Amino acid sequence: MTNEATTKEHFGMKIAVYPGSFDPVTNGHVDIIRRSAKVFDKLVVAVLNNTSKNPLFSVEERTELLRQVTSDLPNVEIDSFRDLLINYMKNKNAHLIVRGLRAVSDFEYELQMASTNQKLDENIETFFMTSTPKYSYLSSSIVKEVARFHGPVSDLVPIEVEKALQRKYSPGLA
């Protein structure tokens, strides 16, 4: 039996999970989603409901924005979770995690997380996808900072997210 056959037998349908806070979803996130959707049979974009953070957008708002910007991708499912990622993945029958890397500084943290996840479940694999260079600087934090001071974010986020940011930061104008 070849390695590919063994992998197919072990993993079955290639279901990958792309977890994150997505507060808000950026063009960098969308780029990783679109590229990952080409690689895996099914991609679950899972919004982390982290109760220790104070997000700008609710989990429901983030999942709705993600649904809007990925509506043309039939193999992408949008969901949310508040458990350990490993437990969520078991519920989804997924064995593959997608993580985007922007810079070397991301790698250390992501390597720790990947190692921890594999320690918790040896059947979990993490796939690192490097950001497209034009998005390598982009983060949700940067987007929120620019939007908060009414700077232009049209090149940073999808139009749906730009409008949602305007509603958050200028409720009377949007």
Side-chain angles (χ1 to χ4, degrees):
M1 191 179 285
T2 68
N3 279 348
E4 185 178 335
T6 303
T7 302
K8 276 276 195 195
E9 181 181 294
H10 179 71
F11 290 118
M13 183 177 172
K14 290 183 197 157
I15 302 171
V17 174
Y18 179 29
S21 59
F22 305 104
D23 185 41
V25 61
T26 68
N27 285 340
H29 293 130
V30 174
D31 179 59
I32 296 290
I33 292 167
R34 291 190 174 284
R35 291 168 47 214
S36 296
K38 293 177 187 175
V39 175
F40 302 105
D41 298 322
K42 181 178 180 179
L43 178 67
V44 180
V45 180
V47 177
L48 174 61
N49 184 359
N50 187 343
T51 54
S52 68
K53 288 191 175 184
N54 188 18
L56 177 62
F57 292 97
S58 69
V59 170
E60 294 76 22
E61 289 170 317
R62 289 180 272 159
T63 56
E64 180 54 31
L65 287 169
L66 279 160
R67 281 189 186 98
Q68 290 174 22
V69 302
T70 62
S71 63
D72 63 321
L73 300 170
N75 65 328
V76 173
E77 174 188 328
I78 308 302
D79 197 10
S80 64
F81 72 106
R82 65 173 50 212
D83 197 356
L84 274 177
L85 178 58
I86 296 302
N87 295 337
Y88 177 78
M89 295 194 57
K90 286 177 185 171
N91 289 335
K92 287 292 183 181
N93 195 31
H95 300 278
L96 309 167
I97 300 170
V98 172
R99 295 300 295 162
L101 294 176
R102 293 171 296 194
V104 173
S105 56
D106 286 347
F107 183 73
E108 276 189 67
Y109 172 77
E110 294 297 344
L111 181 61
Q112 286 178 329
M113 293 306 298
S115 298
T116 301
N117 287 330
Q118 194 159 55
K119 175 80 172 153
L120 294 172
D121 185 337
E122 64 186 18
N123 294 315
I124 297 294
E125 294 292 342
T126 300
F127 287 80
F128 298 110
M129 187 171 283
T130 57
S131 291
T132 301
K134 71 180 178 178
Y135 301 126
S136 63
Y137 68 93
L138 188 55
S139 71
S140 294
S141 298
I142 287 172
V143 167
K144 287 186 283 193
E145 189 71 8
V146 172
R148 185 163 62 105
F149 292 104
H150 309 290
V153 295
S154 59
D155 289 344
L156 309 177
V157 296
I159 186 71
E160 299 87 347
V161 177
E162 180 181 15
K163 289 176 181 177
L165 284 163
Q166 288 170 349
R167 287 190 298 272
K168 288 286 184 182
Y169 289 120
S170 301
L173 301 176

